[in-house]
Amino acid sequence: MNIQLSEHFSYKKLLRFTLPSIVMMVFTSIYGVVDGFFVSNYAGKTQFAAVNLIMPFLMILGTIGFMFGTGGSALVSKTMGEGKKEKAQQIFSQLIYASILLGITFSVLGIIFLRPVSAALGAEGQMLEDCVLYGRIILAALTAFILQNEFQSFFVAAEKPQLGLLVTVIAGCANMVLDALFVGVFRWGVAGAALATAASQVLGGIIPLIYFLRPNPSVLRLVKSRLEGKVLLRACTNGSSEMMSNLSMSLVSMLYNAQLMKFAGENGVAAYGVLMYVNFIFMAIFIGLSIGGAPVVSYHYGAENHAELRSLRKKSTVVILVFSALMFALAQLLAIPLSDIFVGYDAELLAMTCRAFRICSFLFLLAGINIYGSAFFTALNNGLVSALISFLRTLVFQVAAVLIFPIFLKLDGIWLSSVAAELLSMLVTLAFLAGMKKKYHY
């Protein structure tokens, strides 16, 4: 049974509607995790460190998909809530066409500058060659990756989150199977891992593109539309928080890697890679819930249904808190087995990773509120507040903590940095939620 944006959402209906987005984000996160597992266990920690070193740069180039997806879907959903269905179709189409043009441009520029960027990040010798090889293959599929990120949000706005989930499962399964074949069987190392990921991204981006180009039963379809600067600017402004979040996380990851090279060398970068893989999956639950619920918030905000807006905010907060407690408990219980999956072949690296895991797991108690708070203001079409929360959370607080804490606590200070940043961010997020309550009537 299809759930429409205009309906009243109980806890059960909210979870049913957002579950496909949650699973979709988890599967998307698994792409990198599977790469890391096979590269680490079949190619060794040097190539594993190379993948983790260059990955933040590759993610930076793909952030435009998150920006147009979250900002655009909020604008499209609000427009539909106002009863302007044809205008919503045109906005949706403009954003997809602009993403394709920008994706091709970024792909070419990324390939050109990949080697000097890898060297600037500290790669040299064989690690440098591995970074360049992995990065060039991934960048060839960048346009599809951008579309994949974008369509994750638009499938929800189109009231077809189950289709978004199906596409992501297909792409995720393809990635896992090809990783096992290319890296585990053929032993192609980082090239095999990159080919597997690129193939899955092409599937994840092109299948939805074909779906929306053809007549379909959803409320959205790609139509003829000229590019309007005002529309693109509104979507960019509104989605700037999600772009800032992903951009900042990538930049901060580079800084973390630099600090870890200083305090722990190659082992530190490898341990951080394991933490990031697990974080991707755990955080994907919060992100999926936020992405899945955002179009509903936008619709009722556009329709001026304040009672439903209040209900959505309260129910989502309760769900976030429950998931936060569960994920913290799981992280503490699974620190050793999860670390062992990736680096069990090296006792020293395993011990370092387990300790880092237990320290960093405290951020799961805090991050959910911050991620939801930023997405909630994006859904309300308040890109400024949303961007400010993301900017402070993912860049300012993180950079300050990772530069200051290691001075006093050395390696443990690096692991504690993310927890401190999330705590400060939660205080800011709660202040904005309280301060904007009267303006938006939630």
Side-chain angles (χ1 to χ4, degrees):
M1 182 176 171
N2 207 38
I3 301 175
Q4 297 181 332
L5 298 178
S6 57
E7 295 182 31
H8 167 68
F9 280 73
S10 61
Y11 278 106
K12 182 179 179 180
K13 189 173 290 185
L14 179 63
L15 288 171
R16 278 181 56 202
F17 190 77
T18 58
L19 182 61
S21 296
I22 294 172
V23 178
M24 186 164 56
M25 289 305 302
V26 170
F27 259 88
T28 302
S29 302
I30 287 173
Y31 294 171
V33 175
V34 173
D35 277 2
F37 169 78
F38 280 101
V39 171
S40 180
N41 284 278
Y42 290 92
K45 65 181 181 182
T46 298
Q47 292 192 8
F48 181 52
V51 171
N52 291 312
L53 196 66
I54 197 58
M55 185 59 73
F57 172 69
L58 303 177
M59 293 301 295
I60 285 174
L61 298 179
T63 54
I64 188 171
F66 292 104
M67 178 180 68
F68 278 155
T70 54
S73 64
L75 183 57
V76 167
S77 298
K78 179 176 179 290
T79 304
M80 288 193 295
E82 294 168 346
K84 304 173 183 177
K85 299 293 178 67
E86 290 185 8
K87 182 63 176 176
Q89 301 268 21
Q90 292 173 356
I91 294 172
F92 166 64
S93 301
Q94 287 182 53
L95 295 173
I96 298 301
Y97 300 149
S99 298
I100 293 172
L101 292 174
L102 289 171
I104 294 171
T105 303
F106 288 173
S107 180
V108 173
L109 291 174
I111 290 172
I112 292 172
F113 293 104
L114 186 59
R115 182 173 290 274
V117 168
S118 300
L121 292 175
E124 56 185 24
Q126 186 57 49
M127 182 183 285
L128 176 59
E129 298 306 318
D130 290 336
C131 286
V132 173
L133 178 59
Y134 184 85
R136 283 179 175 167
I137 296 172
I138 294 294
L139 286 170
L142 180 65
T143 303
F145 178 58
I146 289 173
L147 289 175
Q148 180 184 21
N149 292 333
E150 195 165 355
F151 282 125
Q152 287 174 348
S153 295
F154 280 122
F155 266 122
V156 181
E159 298 178 347
K160 296 292 182 180
Q162 295 86 355
L163 284 178
L165 171 60
L166 178 61
V167 171
T168 304
V169 169
I170 291 172
C173 290
N175 186 57
M176 288 184 276
V177 171
L178 292 176
D179 258 322
L181 183 63
F182 294 163
V183 184
V185 178
F186 296 162
R187 301 299 176 100
W188 289 349
V190 291
L195 285 169
T197 297
S200 68
Q201 290 171 350
V202 169
L203 288 173
I206 300 304
I207 293 176
L209 182 64
I210 294 172
Y211 174 82
F212 284 112
L213 278 169
R214 296 169 57 84
N216 64 77
S218 79
V219 296
L220 291 178
R221 186 189 171 192
L222 288 168
V223 297
K224 289 183 179 180
S225 179
R226 59 187 178 87
L227 297 179
E228 299 178 42
K230 185 182 292 186
V231 170
L232 296 178
L233 181 61
R234 285 185 65 188
C236 291
T237 302
N238 197 36
S240 60
S241 60
E242 277 64 32
M243 181 179 181
M244 174 59 67
S245 179
N246 286 277
L247 180 63
S248 298
M249 284 191 292
S250 297
L251 292 172
V252 168
S253 292
M254 294 179 185
L255 179 57
Y256 268 75
N257 283 331
Q259 287 285 74
L260 287 164
M261 287 292 286
K262 177 181 176 182
F263 285 93
E266 192 176 281
N267 274 2
V269 175
Y272 181 64
V274 176
L275 294 182
M276 288 301 97
Y277 289 142
V278 177
N279 278 359
F280 287 157
I281 295 176
F282 277 38
M283 293 296 186
I285 296 174
F286 295 135
I287 296 170
L289 180 62
S290 301
I291 289 175
V296 185
V297 171
S298 298
Y299 185 94
H300 288 286
Y301 171 58
E304 298 184 0
N305 189 347
H306 299 149
E308 185 64 17
L309 202 57
R310 284 193 295 273
S311 175
L312 285 166
R313 197 268 304 164
K314 291 177 181 178
K315 288 182 172 67
S316 296
T317 301
V318 171
V319 173
I320 286 285
L321 292 175
V322 171
F323 274 120
S324 297
L326 288 174
M327 281 189 279
F328 171 72
L330 282 173
Q332 288 290 331
L333 289 171
L334 300 177
I336 294 176
L338 287 176
S339 300
D340 187 62
I341 290 173
F342 290 93
V343 294
Y345 54 82
D346 187 315
E348 181 183 353
L349 179 55
L350 177 62
M352 179 188 295
T353 305
C354 288
R355 180 172 178 80
F357 207 121
R358 292 193 186 281
I359 294 173
C360 289
S361 63
F362 283 91
L363 67 86
F364 298 129
L365 292 172
L366 311 167
I369 292 296
N370 301 328
I371 292 171
Y372 177 75
S374 178
F376 185 68
F377 284 110
T378 296
L380 294 173
N381 284 258
N382 190 332
L384 180 61
V385 171
S386 181
L388 185 57
I389 292 173
S390 291
F391 179 70
L392 292 172
R393 172 180 173 256
T394 58
L395 188 63
V396 176
F397 294 150
Q398 289 273 6
V399 169
V402 79
L403 289 176
I404 295 172
F405 277 46
I407 296 175
F408 305 100
L409 301 171
K410 302 202 180 294
L411 185 58
D412 280 351
I414 298 177
W415 309 133
L416 277 169
S417 298
S418 57
V419 180
E422 292 291 356
L423 177 59
L424 292 172
S425 301
M426 188 177 72
L427 298 177
V428 172
T429 302
L430 292 175
F432 274 120
L433 286 170
M436 295 287 188
K437 188 183 298 184
K438 290 184 179 179
K439 178 178 179 179
Y440 292 108
H441 308 285
Y442 54 72

